[in-house]
Amino acid sequence: MAGLRRSRWSAAPEPEEADETANRPGERETGPADDRPDSLNVLTTIRRFSPLLAGERWKLALAIVLYLLEVGTTVITVALFAHIVENVLVAGDLGALTRPMLIWVTVSLLGAVFSYVGNVIGGAVTEKVLLRLRDQLYAHTQRLAPHTRSRFGTGDLIARHSSDVEAIDSLLSSGIISAVVAVVSLVIYATAAFVTQWDLALFAIVLAPLLWVIARWFGVVVKRASRRERYANGKISTLIQEGLTNSLAIQADNQVGSDRLRVLRQSRRWRDARMAEIKANAAFAEAVSTAEVLCMIAVLFFGAWQISTGRASIGTLIALTGYLGYLYPQIQTLGGLVVEVTSATASAERVAQVLDEPMGIVDADDPALDDPTVVADASDGAAEAMLTRPVMGPVADMASLVFRDVGFSYPDSEHPVLEHADLTINDGDFVSVLGASGAGKSTLAYLLLRFYDPDTGEILLNGSDIRSLGIPTLRAHVAMLPQQVALFGGTVAENIAYGRPEATDDQIRRAAASADATEFIERLPGGFDARLAERGTNLSGGQRQRIALARAFLRDTPLLILDEPTTGLDAATTARVIEPMCRLAQSRTTLLITHDPHVAALADYTVEVDSGRLRRR
Ligand SMILES: Nc1ncnc2c1ncn2[C@@H]1O[C@H](COP(=O)(O)OP(=O)(O)OP(=O)(O)O)[C@@H](O)[C@H]1O
């Protein structure tokens, strides 16, 4: 099993400039740094992510061969054109036109087929890499320890999963294909040009190193701007995600203007970074075009001089300019790729930062550790079998708990939350957990569910250390109702059955009845088939709690953890939640975390979390 380790990456390493998210509670201000020793360059990025190309390299090679065959067809068409100029137009022999024209049409059709098949195969590789990367990144992110996930911020993680992943994808597959094709075509066109007229070709080829230098220089400039742009993009996602989630509080607190200003300021930073990118890209394109035009003019001058002195024919000059017409764009493509690919490494760094963070607590056979190429490539049914494979050990119908000398502090905190904490809870006990805010009540639930492991001591479930049970088995013993009920887009019935998707309609209805939820559910348009709004915002707080209780009734686990189930509810609603809650608690071991002494009094006894200890009262 993997434990928690500190990462060599922080969520985003260096402060760049004060920004609007900096003063958010609990958030560490971070920003991009251009000169990080462990920042990725193009080669390290390709090496880092190339396992995602496993099994696809031969397709990549095939796509490259097809593109090159297409390049071969264009070389032939240029030679044909020169042939037609010399032997048909200059010689005035129209009869000599038919054969080269037929060859031209055939070769062009072949070129179109090569190009089409190459595009489709290259595209298929690209999309497969994208699928694998998305799957790997999401599985990894979902297994991060809670404190690591909150360090990144949800909005920023969403940006890393969307636009940053796409940038890596273009770098890995299309980037590789385009680079190889551009290099080999360059060699082919250059060879054709040399064979046609070596001294003129030599004159024209001096452009290549010049363009390379220009591309390298602009690559560095664009990468710096891209880092700023990626960073600002992540921050905008964070701000918008926070703003939308807290929309009502923002309005109620009269902070609409300042909230908008925060997003606007970050958007301005993004605009500035984009402008830097746009200017660098535009300047690069112009520098390349100007160098290209100057070289072409020089070749024409030199070529015209050679024709006038009889050293070259007009057909030769036409063929040469034809090859150069294909060769220069390849140099330009290569230069553009250097710039584009270098800037995409800024996204690669951001994705690598997430993947380099160690996962939280995971079992050795957790599907998140599976080879992402195997899972993502599997058919839908096979992937389902892999990801929902039965890893469960036997689930007991009782739950006794022992905390033995437990010590714990959060990985990024100096202060211990629990120290030498001891407690025994017998099967069937209904225990309320009290304590000052920040005492460590919710932390107990985190430890019981193994989001974290204790630094010292052990927690026993039915006499076994919970570390020996396997996470799915442990969690199959526990139903947890968090402070914020987790509701998902879907119907009421689907939400009740979350955690036990195989439940029948009848079981779902019985669970709803036990949670005293049937009446309000049936009043919803569609009843059990009514669709819930995002996070269940079309339900009241009490109704959301009762859906969560129905879910817990349905799961019917021997251990129940209720984390502040009545927070924010008025007396009448609290009463409606408490009744089914007590019914649920009656038949299992229950930990009820609460601040409310009236609610706490419902339990058989109280445990107080105080100064890192657990005291039974
Ligand atoms: N991810 C984290 N990283 C570092 N410290 C944390 C983290 N989560 C909680 N803490 C700290 O651990 C302590 C215990 O937090 P916990 O949420 O368990 O308290 P609580 O008793 O449930 O509080 P409340 O009643 O206010 O919900 C607090 O001091 C809190 O600041």
Side-chain angles (χ1 to χ4, degrees):
M1 284 178 207
L4 287 170
R5 284 176 288 116
R6 307 238 189 271
S7 164
R8 71 189 177 90
W9 290 92
S10 61
E14 296 288 318
E16 187 202 38
E17 53 191 48
D19 85 25
E20 291 309 316
T21 53
N23 49 9
R24 294 297 170 94
E27 186 169 341
R28 199 166 69 193
E29 178 41 35
T30 51
D34 296 325
D35 50 359
R36 276 197 309 249
D38 44 0
S39 64
L40 298 177
N41 63 33
V42 177
L43 279 181
T44 48
T45 302
I46 290 177
R47 216 173 296 135
R48 163 76 211 246
F49 291 99
S50 65
L52 292 168
L53 280 167
E56 298 297 300
R57 291 189 179 88
W58 69 270
K59 288 189 201 156
L60 209 58
L62 180 60
I64 290 169
V65 168
L66 287 164
Y67 284 126
L68 293 178
L69 286 174
E70 197 250 347
V71 170
T73 61
T74 57
V75 172
I76 295 172
T77 56
V78 172
L80 279 171
F81 186 60
H83 173 85
I84 290 170
V85 170
E86 290 282 353
N87 300 299
V88 179
L89 302 182
V90 175
D93 178 9
L94 265 185
L97 187 59
T98 317
R99 202 162 156 261
M101 286 305 266
L102 280 176
I103 298 175
W104 194 328
V105 170
T106 312
V107 165
S108 299
L109 283 177
L110 269 178
V113 171
F114 292 146
S115 177
Y116 170 79
V117 180
N119 268 324
V120 171
I121 294 176
V125 174
T126 304
E127 296 315 313
K128 192 172 249 186
V129 169
L130 189 68
L131 182 73
R132 289 170 171 182
L133 182 57
R134 275 197 207 290
D135 180 55
Q136 182 190 22
L137 185 63
Y138 185 65
H140 192 93
T141 308
Q142 282 288 45
R143 299 300 198 290
L144 292 176
H147 71 280
T148 312
R149 239 193 332 263
S150 45
R151 179 148 44 82
F152 280 100
T154 310
D156 185 62
L157 281 171
I158 291 171
R160 289 173 201 246
H161 277 75
S162 46
S163 41
D164 288 320
V165 164
E166 282 161 30
I168 296 187
D169 170 66
S170 67
L171 183 158
L172 265 187
S173 36
S174 356
I176 292 175
I177 293 178
S178 313
V180 175
V181 170
V183 168
V184 180
S185 337
L186 215 138
V187 172
I188 293 174
Y189 289 128
T191 310
F194 270 93
V195 168
T196 309
Q197 184 86 11
W198 72 268
D199 46 355
L200 248 180
L202 190 68
F203 195 70
I205 294 299
V206 292
L207 179 66
L210 177 66
L211 280 179
W212 182 254
V213 171
I214 295 174
R216 293 286 298 179
W217 189 79
F218 277 103
V220 172
V221 175
V222 171
K223 179 166 184 180
R224 207 169 289 151
S226 290
R227 274 211 189 112
R228 291 218 316 274
E229 186 271 325
R230 296 285 76 213
Y231 175 72
N233 187 50
K235 285 294 170 199
I236 290 172
S237 298
T238 300
L239 287 175
I240 289 178
Q241 192 260 339
E242 277 186 0
L244 295 180
T245 311
N246 299 321
S247 174
L248 295 183
I250 288 167
Q251 293 176 60
D253 289 345
N254 265 335
Q255 293 302 311
V256 177
S258 59
D259 177 64
R260 181 174 165 185
L261 194 60
R262 267 196 295 266
V263 177
L264 181 64
R265 284 192 177 137
Q266 199 60 56
S267 303
R268 283 212 181 104
R269 287 192 186 112
W270 183 82
R271 189 263 326 260
D272 293 345
R274 275 294 296 145
M275 278 316 296
E277 265 187 307
I278 288 169
K279 280 183 198 161
N281 275 322
F284 169 69
E286 292 318 312
V288 170
S289 304
T290 309
E292 207 180 297
V293 168
L294 290 177
C295 281
M296 204 58 132
I297 289 171
V299 167
L300 283 175
F301 260 112
F302 189 47
W305 173 75
Q306 283 198 324
I307 291 171
S308 70
T309 57
R311 291 183 199 185
S313 69
I314 187 157
T316 306
L317 187 62
I318 284 176
L320 194 79
T321 47
Y323 292 132
L324 292 183
Y326 283 107
L327 186 140
Y328 283 162
Q330 296 301 335
I331 299 179
Q332 202 166 354
T333 304
L334 209 55
L337 265 177
V338 172
V339 173
E340 196 183 307
V341 160
T342 312
S343 96
T345 56
S347 288
E349 283 166 10
R350 286 167 50 79
V351 171
Q353 281 168 9
V354 179
L355 291 174
D356 283 351
E357 284 289 348
M359 291 189 193
I361 313 291
V362 285
D363 286 343
D365 59 355
D366 191 303
L369 302 175
D370 288 351
D371 182 346
T373 62
V374 175
V375 180
D377 292 3
S379 67
D380 197 47
E384 186 179 338
M386 269 183 251
L387 297 178
T388 56
R389 64 190 171 211
V391 279
M392 209 82 80
V395 180
D397 56 6
M398 59 172 288
S400 66
L401 286 174
V402 175
F403 285 72
R404 190 179 286 155
D405 198 27
V406 171
F408 174 72
S409 33
Y410 282 95
D412 53 3
S413 162
E414 308 275 286
H415 306 289
V417 182
L418 295 177
E419 272 183 302
H420 306 294
D422 290 299
L423 178 70
T424 299
I425 295 173
N426 294 319
D427 177 46
D429 284 0
F430 182 3
V431 186
S432 59
V433 182
L434 283 174
S437 180
K441 303 181 294 295
S442 301
T443 304
L444 287 183
Y446 278 15
L447 291 173
L448 276 171
L449 284 160
R450 290 201 65 211
F451 293 135
Y452 296 98
D453 277 338
D455 302 325
T456 56
E458 56 184 356
I459 300 172
L460 310 180
L461 174 68
N462 296 329
S464 306
D465 188 327
I466 57 173
R467 282 174 290 212
S468 67
L469 290 179
I471 290 175
T473 310
L474 167 70
R475 291 179 186 166
H477 286 83
V478 191
M480 158 109 175
L481 267 71
Q483 284 179 24
Q484 294 289 329
V485 176
L487 294 177
F488 300 88
T491 64
V492 172
E494 284 163 356
N495 267 280
I496 293 175
Y498 192 83
R500 200 176 149 192
E502 77 287 357
T504 62
D505 280 357
D506 192 42
Q507 288 169 323
I508 293 171
R509 281 172 189 275
R510 267 190 279 135
S514 305
D516 210 2
T518 309
E519 195 188 319
F520 85 81
I521 292 174
E522 285 184 340
R523 277 205 311 270
L524 295 172
F528 279 83
D529 292 328
R531 295 200 78 79
L532 292 187
E534 194 189 29
R535 287 174 291 112
T537 43
N538 53 344
L539 298 180
S540 72
Q543 289 170 340
R544 285 199 286 270
Q545 280 296 353
R546 277 179 282 159
I547 297 266
L549 282 170
R551 191 185 284 166
F553 268 110
L554 192 62
R555 282 198 63 205
D556 195 21
T557 56
L559 177 60
L560 174 67
I561 302 173
L562 303 157
D563 194 354
E564 312 270 12
T566 57
T567 302
L569 305 182
D570 62 25
T573 317
T574 298
R576 293 213 68 176
V577 169
I578 276 181
E579 214 185 293
M581 193 187 81
C582 287
R583 257 200 315 272
L584 184 61
Q586 257 166 21
S587 50
R588 67 208 75 226
T589 310
T590 302
L591 297 188
L592 168 61
I593 299 169
T594 182
H595 283 114
D596 185 339
H598 299 296
V599 176
L602 297 167
D604 302 334
Y605 59 90
T606 295
V607 166
E608 191 172 359
V609 187
D610 182 23
S611 311
R613 304 291 173 97
L614 301 172
R615 292 198 181 86
R616 183 171 167 165
R617 285 204 316 217

